């Protein structure tokens, strides 16, 4: 059984932290390229991989299914001991419909397109001529659900050992180019009564602060009415409407599949608002962004979680909207920035995927991070479940204060401290992390290594913390009148959950417990005494 239990992922009865990568969109369609990418995940030290099952390849002709490619992906993952997440690229992928089969896209009478109407919005990702089907089409829902259910039934038959642990339903859903769909079925839904399930959810959650709750209260908290009557008439109301449409669509697929395949189903979000994409329609309107997570929760109870795809610089802000009592945190996709891993894991994430894992260097920062974190998986998962873990990610000259284990930890960037200690005295020392490239030369977009001070702190009990990261300097304080000093610091690593000690750090190394230019793990014990 694979499920989300109290915001934690349980696979085969064991709590897990899945760290790995997502293949480039087209890699899964070539088994030899996929083989290389799966091997890359193993080289990186990851324990999970995410790959694509595409509707147009699974059902090239209506009613005729071909799962050969899916079977090959499952075999590759099983042979390497990797947990596999499958992405269903069905009717919707990145706010477009390019993965729907030709027989769907060619039949505009049976499967109508979404229509922008008069409220068209423009943005960097608006793509004229790109196919976008209407999520309100009953025929589309039925066809997509049939294919997705067939996929789930097939996986259940061929994957008795549970290599597939999660399935993503569609990908970055939402409507680009308009805040809501104006196709005929969409207009009919807009003028129909708001479903009671959403109104009941809003009434039962007076503390909610999402877009739907805010607009509903502004309208006087009506108990019934059409969408404009309940939420007003504007981009926010349009986004709530579209969120219900996409969430209900994904729920229909997930609920049907769950009758055959017992895995965790989820949906991912193209984030918004963000710079240059301030309005719904400039980013995909109706996708599971933080502002409408409430709507998705009300409409799609079968989805175990909703997760942010992080390509923005502000990982802290991106994650915050998904750390909720009713939602386990997963980062389905992330740009190449290793600081994102540490912030996510320290925030309780059940999994993290760097996008384009095919392109990563096997000896880079992500490899170091994954080896350290997966080796300590059991320690981390237990700390997440018990609230004994904290993330740290510092910009230049930034300081973090962390309450952990009955102590107050002041965490600074070692480079900032060293520059003040040595450079002001005229002593030349290196105080900058070296930023080498993280991906291979053939990668489309270069990705320098992350030079920020970063890490996770884990309370091990008995006045000892485990710190995994780079470039951090720690100082502990206790109760008033109590003196706290570092008693011992041991560098090392976890191998299959067992600590393997390295150097005992003292003297000069106390100034640089976590190196500036490489990731490391250190167990720090403090001595507490009274004045």
């Amino acid at each position: 059984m694979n499920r989300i239990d109290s915001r934690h992922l349980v696979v085969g009865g064991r709590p897990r932290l899945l760290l790995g990568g997502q293949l480039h969109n087209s890699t899964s369609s070539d088994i030899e390229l996929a083989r290389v990418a799966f091997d890359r995940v193993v080289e990186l030290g990851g324990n999970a991989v995410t790959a694509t099952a595409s509707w147009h390849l699974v059902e090239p002709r209506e009613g005729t299914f071909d799962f050969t490619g899916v079977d090959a992906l499952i075999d590759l993952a099983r042979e390497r001991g990797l947990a596999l997440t499958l992405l269903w690229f069905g009717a919707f992928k990145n706010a477009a419909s390019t993965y729907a089969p030709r027989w769907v896209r060619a039949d505009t009478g049976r499967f109508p397109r979404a229509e922008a109407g008069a409220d068209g919005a423009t943005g960097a990702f608006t793509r004229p001529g790109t196919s976008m089907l209407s999520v309100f089409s009953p025929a589309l829902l039925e066809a997509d659900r049939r294919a997705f259910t067939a996929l789930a039934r097939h996986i259940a038959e061929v994957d008795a050992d549970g290599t597939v642990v999660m399935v993503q339903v569609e990908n970055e859903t939402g409507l680009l180019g308009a805040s809501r769909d104006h196709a005929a079925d969409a207009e009919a839904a807009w003028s129909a009564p708001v479903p009671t399930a959403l109104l009941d959810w809003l009434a039962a959650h007076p503390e909610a602060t999402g877009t739907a709750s805010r607009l509903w209260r502004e309208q006087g908290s009506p108990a019934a009415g059409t969408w404009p009557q309940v939420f007003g008439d504007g981009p926010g109301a349009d986004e709530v409407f579209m969120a219900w449409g996409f969430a209900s669509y994904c729920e229909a697929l997930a609920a049907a599949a769950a009758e055959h395949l017992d895995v965790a189903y989820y949906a991912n979000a193209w984030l918004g608002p963000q710079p240059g994409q301030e309005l719904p329609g400039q980013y995909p309107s109706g996708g599971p962004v933080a502002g409408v997570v409430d709507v998705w929760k009300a409409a799609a109870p079968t989805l175990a979680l909703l997760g942010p795809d992080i390509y923005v610089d502000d990982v802290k802000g991106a994650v915050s909207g998904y750390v909720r009592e009713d939602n386990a945190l997963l980062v389905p996709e992330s740009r190449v920035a290793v600081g994102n891993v540490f912030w996510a894991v320290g925030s309780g994430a059940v999994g993290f995927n760097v996008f384009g894992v095919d392109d990563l260097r096997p000896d880079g920062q992500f490899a170091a991070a994954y080896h350290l974190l997966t080796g300590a998986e059991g320690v981390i998962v237990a700390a997440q479940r018990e609230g004994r873990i904290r993330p740290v990610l510092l910009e230049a000259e930034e300081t973090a204060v962390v309450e952990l284990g009955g102590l107050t930890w002041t965490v600074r960037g070692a480079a900032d401290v060293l520059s003040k200690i040595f450079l002001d005295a005229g002593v030349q020392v290196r105080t900058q992390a070296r930023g080498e490239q993280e991906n291979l030369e053939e990668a489309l977009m270069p990705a320098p290594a992350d030079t920020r001070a970063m890490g996770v702190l884990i309370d091990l009990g008995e006045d000892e913390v485990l710190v995994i990261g780079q470039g951090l300097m720690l100082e502990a304080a206790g109760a008033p009148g109590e003196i706290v000093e570092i008693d011992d610091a041991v560098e090392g690593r976890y191998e299959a959950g067992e600590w393997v000690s390295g150097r005992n750090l003292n003297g000069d190394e106390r100034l640089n417990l976590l190196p500036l230019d490489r990731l490391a793990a250190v167990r720090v014990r403090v001595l507490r005494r009274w004045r």
Side-chain angles (χ1 to χ4, degrees), residues 510-530:
R510 289 288 176 87
L511 295 173
N512 196 24
L513 287 176
L514 289 175
L516 291 171
D517 60 350
R518 67 179 176 87
L519 294 160
V522 179
R523 291 174 63 154
V524 180
R525 187 174 69 239
V526 301
L527 173 66
R528 304 168 76 160
R529 57 189 174 85
W530 297 94

Side-chain angles (χ1 to χ4, degrees), residues 416-472:
D416 297 334
V417 178
L418 289 172
S419 66
K420 292 180 175 62
I421 292 175
F422 291 109
L423 296 186
D424 291 349
V427 178
Q428 295 297 313
V429 296
R430 184 174 57 81
T431 59
Q432 297 295 321
R434 298 188 181 100
E436 299 179 353
Q437 286 297 118
E438 267 294 278
N439 47 20
L440 304 172
E441 291 183 2
E442 58 266 29
L444 177 64
M445 299 178 63
D450 200 332
T451 60
R452 293 173 292 181
M454 68 187 77
V456 292
L457 278 64
I458 298 173
D459 173 28
L460 298 178
E462 299 182 352
D463 293 333
E464 186 176 22
V465 297
L466 167 68
V467 190
I468 304 176
Q470 75 176 18
L472 297 179

Side-chain angles (χ1 to χ4, degrees), residues 386-429:
E386 298 166 11
R388 297 184 286 106
I389 187 170
R390 303 288 185 273
V392 175
L393 182 60
L394 303 178
E395 304 296 338
E397 302 296 332
E398 188 177 7
T399 298
V401 177
V402 175
E403 301 290 339
L404 186 64
L407 295 167
T408 300
W409 295 87
T410 300
V411 187
R412 298 181 176 87
D416 297 334
V417 178
L418 289 172
S419 66
K420 292 180 175 62
I421 292 175
F422 291 109
L423 296 186
D424 291 349
V427 178
Q428 295 297 313
V429 296

Side-chain angles (χ1 to χ4, degrees), residues 37 42 65 85 99 135 137 152 157-158 174 179 186 220 226 231 243 250 271 285 332 335 354 386 454 472 477:
V42 174
F65 296 102
T85 294
Y99 283 82
V135 74
S137 165
E157 292 172 353
V158 302
S179 55
T226 64
F231 298 108
C250 290
L271 295 181
S285 181
R335 68 185 180 93
V354 60
E386 298 166 11
M454 68 187 77
L472 297 179

Side-chain angles (χ1 to χ4, degrees), residues 112-306:
R113 298 291 195 271
E115 296 181 12
D119 69 333
T122 59
F125 290 92
T126 302
R127 294 160 290 184
T130 298
S131 175
M132 180 61 183
L133 298 163
S134 175
V135 74
F136 297 95
S137 165
L140 179 66
L141 173 59
E142 178 56 32
D144 200 350
R145 177 168 51 192
R146 184 183 63 239
F148 190 63
T149 305
L151 172 66
R153 188 183 298 113
H154 179 79
I155 294 171
E157 292 172 353
V158 302
D159 187 31
D161 61 351
T163 296
V164 177
V165 298
M166 291 194 288
V167 176
Q168 180 181 290
V169 187
E170 309 295 340
N171 183 83
E172 292 187 355
T173 57
L175 177 67
L176 281 177
S179 55
R180 72 176 174 92
D181 185 0
H182 292 270
D185 289 328
E187 289 289 4
W190 174 252
S191 301
V194 173
T196 56
L198 178 54
L199 293 169
D200 289 347
W201 193 98
L202 295 172
H205 295 81
E207 79 288 351
T209 58
T211 303
S213 294
R214 175 177 56 81
L215 295 175
W216 178 63
R217 286 192 291 266
E218 289 176 0
Q219 293 295 113
S221 304
T226 64
W227 290 89
Q229 289 170 342
V230 172
F231 298 108
D233 193 359
D238 291 350
E239 184 176 22
V240 170
F241 170 71
M242 293 303 299
W244 184 265
F246 280 107
S248 299
Y249 187 102
C250 290
E251 169 64 15
L253 269 64
E259 294 182 5
H260 306 279
L261 180 64
D262 182 20
V263 298
Y265 296 89
Y266 71 92
N268 64 327
W270 171 335
L271 295 181
Q274 55 178 291
Q277 302 175 49
E278 288 81 8
L279 297 174
Q282 294 175 333
Y283 62 89
S285 181
V289 300
V292 292
V293 163
D294 291 351
V295 180
W296 277 76
K297 288 294 178 181
T302 304
L303 296 182
L305 58 87
L306 307 170

